[in-house]
Amino acid sequence: MARELRGLKSMRPSVFAATLQMDFEAARLVIADPEGAADRDATLRAKELLAICAPPSWMADTSTLVEVAECLSGGGTAWGGARSMARWAERGEGAMLALGDFAAALGDLRRGAFRRAHINAAECTNHARIAGMSDLAALAGVVTLVVERSLGEGAERAGLENAEASADVAALVRLYGAVAAGDASERESALSSLERVSPRAGLVTVLASLCGADRVSGSAIQRGLPMLWRGRTSISAEPREADAGYLGHFDSRGSEVAPGPADGRVGQGAARMGAGSAGPLGSRSAKPEFPKLEVRVLGGLSLTVDGVVVPERAWRRRHSRTLLAMLALTPGHVIPRFEAAECFWPNSDYGRWREGMYTVVSSLRATLGQVGQAGYVIGEMGRLWLNPEFVSCDIDDFEHVVRNVIGGRKPDSAVVTLCMRAEELYRGGTLRVSEDASGFFGRRHEEVRRQYVETMLEGSAAALRTGDTRQAVWFAESARVEDPCREDVLSALGRARRAEEERRAQEGRRDKKASTKRRRKKDEGDTGEAA
C-alpha cells in the first residue's frame, strides 16, 4: 500500500501515506529486507512531511516504532525512548511498553550492560503478561537467561517455558533452556523440534540479534540452527558438522568448548551420507566427500559438478529441472513439498502430488548422481532443501553483492566495483519457466530485477561522486534497459549524461587550448629561424 501511495502522482502526499511509509520501514527492518534507494527516499520524505504536518506526539510515536524495529534487528546499539515510554504508560498502552522494554533489553545486552538488560527484561515480562503477549514474555525470559549466564550466575529455567507461546517461540525457548542446562540429549530433541517448525521472519531476525549478543554460546547456536531458522538474517552460513543435530560442544554450564578426540559420535546425516563408502565412519570428523555442485539460475539454468557442465540431455524429467531451479531461487534454498507440488499440479489432492513429488525428486537426484537421501538434495519433515555444504548458487552471490551495495555503507569506489560484479552476475535476470501455476518464478524474477535496478542506481550515483561519468552512464543505461519507465531511473540517466557531456566539453576545451599553445610555440620557432 505504501508503494502504491508513492505512485499516485495526482494526489498530494498525506499524513496517512507518510505514517504508512514509516510503518512499512519498521516492517522492513524486522524482516531484514534490503533497503532500496526508492525506500530510503520515501522514508526521508515521510519524515519531512510528518515533521511539518503531524502533531509532535504523532511524529514521535511513528519515529519511535522505527527505532524499536532497528534495535530489534540489531541495527542499533541501544534504544533510549524514555519519553515515548512515559507517553505509552500515561495512555495505558501495555503492548508498546512491553515492546519498548524488550528492545531496550536487547540493546543493553549487545553493549554489555547486563544489569540494565536484566531489569528491562523483567519489566518486559511483566508488561507482556498484562497485555496478553505470551510470545514476547517468553522471549524476555530467554533474554534473562542469556544475561544470567553472561554474568556467570546460575541460570534458572523455572518459568521459562510458556504454554501459551506460539510453536516457533516455544521451540526456541526450549532450545535455550536445553543449552543452559547442558543436557546433550535435550539439545538434540530441541533441535529436532526446530526442524519441524517454520519460524516467522520477525522471530528469525530477533534470534540473529540475540545470538550476536550472546557471548557465551551464541556462535554455537548459530552454527546449529536449521536452514529455515537462518533466512535472510546475518546468521553465519558456515558449514555445519555432518550430524544434523549438532549444536557445538558445551561444558556443564553450556559454554562452547573445543571438540575433543574422545567424542566419537556419528550423526544420522553422516551415517546416511557414508552408507556406500568402504569402512566404518568412526568419528564426527569423518565426512564423506561429494563433488561441488554449482547452480546458476541467472541468465538461465546451468549446472556444473566438480567443474564439469551437466548437459541438457541429462535431464530425465522437465519437472525435476524446474524443482532444482525453484530450490535454488528460494531464499535459504528450502521449500515445503506442498509448495513445489502446487507449482506442478495446482488444485490436486494429496495422494496424487505425493507420488508425483516422489518421482520428481528421485529423478532430480539421479541427474545429479546422488544415491539415497544424503548429498545435494535433502528431504525431511515435509521439506526439501539444498545442502549448503556441497551446493552453491549464483543468486546467493548476487544478493550478497546487492546487500553490500544498498545497505553496506561502503566507500564509493568499492560500490562501483561491487556494481560491476552485480552486472556481471545478473546476465538478464532469473530464468522464467512455462509451468509456473503458482507464479513463483514470475515473482522471483521481478524481485531480482528490482534489486538489480536499485543496485545500478546506487552504482551510477557512486560513480558520479568519484568523477567516473562514463561508468555512471553505463550503470544508468543498464537500469533503464530493465525498467525504462521509472522516473528515478530516467533522472539518474539524465544526470549521468549531463555529467558526461560536461566532461567531454571540458576535455574539448583542454584539447583546444593545448593545440593553440602548440601552434603558437611552433609559430614562434619558425619566426626565430627566419630571423
Side-chain angles (χ1 to χ4, degrees), residues 35-51:
E35 182 185 29
D39 296 328
R40 185 165 55 250
D41 292 343
T43 302
L44 289 174
R45 288 197 297 271
K47 288 181 179 178
E48 293 173 357
L49 180 63
L50 290 174

Side-chain angles (χ1 to χ4, degrees), residues 461-470 472 500 503:
L464 280 179
R465 288 192 292 269
T466 60
D468 191 349
T469 56
R470 292 179 180 176
E500 174 65 7
R503 182 191 65 81

Side-chain angles (χ1 to χ4, degrees), residues 44 104 150 157-158 247 253 302 350 352 372 405 416 420 513:
L44 289 174
S150 299
R157 295 183 59 185
L247 189 59
R253 292 179 55 244
S302 63
Y350 173 79
R352 179 187 173 189
V405 169
V416 171
M420 293 172 68
K513 186 176 181 180

Side-chain angles (χ1 to χ4, degrees), residues 326-405:
M326 181 179 288
L327 284 167
L329 283 170
T330 301
H333 310 300
V334 55
I335 55 175
R337 283 177 178 265
F338 74 87
E339 288 188 6
E342 186 67 22
C343 180
F344 302 134
W345 307 284
N347 304 320
S348 61
D349 57 15
Y350 173 79
R352 179 187 173 189
W353 70 252
R354 181 178 180 275
E355 295 298 326
M357 282 301 301
Y358 178 82
T359 303
V360 171
V361 173
S362 298
S363 175
L364 173 58
R365 287 171 173 164
T367 301
L368 300 178
Q370 174 181 336
V371 179
Q373 292 283 338
Y376 303 116
V377 181
I378 302 175
E380 288 181 1
M381 300 298 178
R383 293 188 293 272
L384 297 168
W385 67 87
L386 298 178
N387 190 342
E389 191 169 356
F390 307 116
V391 183
S392 63
C393 304
D394 60 347
I395 188 69
D396 293 335
D397 296 335
F398 174 79
E399 293 190 322
H400 176 74
V401 171
V402 169
R403 285 192 295 271
N404 276 281
V405 169

